[in-house]
Amino acid sequence: MKEFVVIHDYLVSEAVVGDWEGEEEHVAENLNEIYHTLYDYAEEDIEPEILNQLLALVWEHWIGQEALAEIESEDISDWCLHVLQNREQYLEN
């Protein structure tokens, strides 16, 4: 059921990420990679509401983190798997 969630609704451009001292494009790319990875890793039959909540969590969690400018694909993968495996913890808050 994840096909009912439009990933493009979440993707960002450098214009919306704020001031990252010249790293805005890279930060936007990293955020978009997180969105895509989380979406790709989600099971096909995930409830759209749950997936939307998890995707919204990406912005809430990452936009203020300095590590966002330096995060590697392996770390993005690990974080996304962790969120999906522990979704109850993240959705309770």
Side-chain angles (χ1 to χ4, degrees):
M1 295 203 308
K2 77 178 182 181
E3 68 271 7
F4 295 118
V5 176
V6 180
I7 188 67
H8 297 288
D9 290 347
Y10 291 93
L11 302 181
V12 298
S13 70
E14 60 189 77
V16 300
V17 297
D19 181 20
W20 285 85
E21 299 178 6
E23 293 292 316
E24 293 82 5
E25 183 178 357
H26 186 65
V27 166
E29 288 172 0
N30 285 347
L31 263 177
N32 289 336
E33 183 177 347
I34 296 169
Y35 284 122
H36 276 290
T37 303
L38 187 61
Y39 183 88
D40 290 345
Y41 285 177
E43 56 275 8
E44 292 298 322
D45 63 347
I46 191 170
E47 290 291 327
E49 181 179 323
I50 299 295
L51 183 53
N52 278 315
Q53 290 175 7
L54 293 173
L55 289 168
L57 178 69
V58 171
W59 180 269
E60 295 170 18
H61 179 80
W62 283 105
I63 196 57
Q65 300 291 325
E66 289 183 27
L68 184 56
E70 301 170 3
I71 193 165
E72 300 290 329
S73 293
E74 183 177 325
D75 296 323
I76 288 172
S77 178
D78 290 346
W79 186 83
C80 291
L81 287 172
H82 174 79
V83 168
L84 286 166
Q85 292 168 351
N86 298 284
R87 69 185 74 175
E88 296 83 16
Q89 170 189 342
Y90 289 98
L91 298 177
E92 289 175 354
N93 296 330

